Amino acid sequence: MALHRAGVTAVRNGPIKQPFLGPPGMAYRLPGGELQAYVYADAVALGRDTDGLDTTSVSPPTMKINWVMPPSLITENNLALILLTRDPRLKQRISRAIEAKAVHGGHP
């Protein structure tokens, strides 16, 4: 798992659903935040859901979401991650782990 190799401990928190994303996701508790993972059939399906999202608020332009922490959207191929954290180092570690996963293959 890419997060584990990056030194990020993720504890499965259970299924989650966002109204603006097609597939159900899985939430993970992280030290200093939460990660929501959504796996799509392919990158085209992911793009249909994520291309129109506001990158700052990680929401459709017509929807206001009150996230518990600042959100970040990280996408790679058919994987969409919503990271909720106030820790810029955690955000950087997860982004790098997902980029490395894309280059070397494997699971998030």
Side-chain angles (χ1 to χ4, degrees):
M1 179 176 238
L3 295 178
H4 182 70
R5 283 191 305 274
V8 177
T9 303
V11 177
R12 193 176 184 160
N13 214 24
I16 192 161
K17 179 74 176 123
Q18 292 297 341
F20 55 90
L21 298 178
M26 184 59 61
Y28 297 88
R29 229 177 25 250
L30 308 173
E34 176 181 292
L35 184 69
Q36 299 177 10
Y38 300 87
V39 179
Y40 284 79
D42 54 43
V44 173
L46 179 139
R48 280 193 296 266
D49 280 358
T50 61
D51 286 352
L53 296 180
D54 180 301
T55 57
T56 304
S57 65
V58 185
S59 64
T62 58
M63 189 180 288
K64 172 74 171 138
I65 298 176
N66 293 314
W67 297 107
V68 295
M69 288 184 243
S72 298
L73 178 65
I74 303 166
T75 60
E76 183 59 49
N77 194 16
N78 68 327
L79 176 65
L81 301 174
I82 297 175
L83 174 63
L84 305 173
T85 187
R86 291 182 180 87
D87 183 348
R89 289 174 300 189
L90 178 62
K91 179 181 174 183
Q92 184 179 46
R93 286 169 71 190
I94 290 175
S95 293
R96 285 184 178 164
I98 298 306
E99 288 170 10
K101 173 198 157 294
V103 171
H104 303 293
H107 300 286

